[in-house]
């Protein structure tokens, strides 16, 4: 899958969030088989769940994830 070389902290800063929330969401994605996590590395293992397009927002992305809210 697609690999993103970043830390949870760096991703949180880019998203305007905090590390704890990013870590929680990434952990849920990993549990559901959508991502694989390693130190400084996030692999998207289910690309079909990732919305595409330059106007995709975080809300669009979250709405397509099979995560209970």
């Amino acid at each position: 899958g697609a690999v993103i070389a970043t830390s949870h902290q760096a991703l949180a800063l880019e998203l305007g969030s905090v590390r704890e929330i990013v870590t929680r969401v990434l952990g849920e994605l990993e549990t559901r088989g959508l991502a694989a996590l390693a130190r400084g590395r996030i692999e998207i293992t289910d690309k079909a769940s990732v919305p595409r397009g330059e106007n995709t927002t975080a809300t669009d992305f979250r709405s397509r994830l099979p995560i209970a809210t």
Side-chain angles (χ1 to χ4, degrees), residues 35-59:
L37 307 176
R39 185 173 185 88
R41 182 178 178 274
I42 302 164
E43 180 180 0
I44 306 303
T45 56
D46 185 355
K47 289 183 182 181
S49 293
V50 179
R52 302 209 184 263
E54 60 187 65
N55 294 321
T56 299
T57 66
T59 302

Side-chain angles (χ1 to χ4, degrees), residues 23-34:
T23 297
R24 185 182 323 151
V25 171
L26 288 173
E28 183 70 21
L29 293 176
E30 186 173 44
T31 297
R32 296 184 180 272
L34 302 175

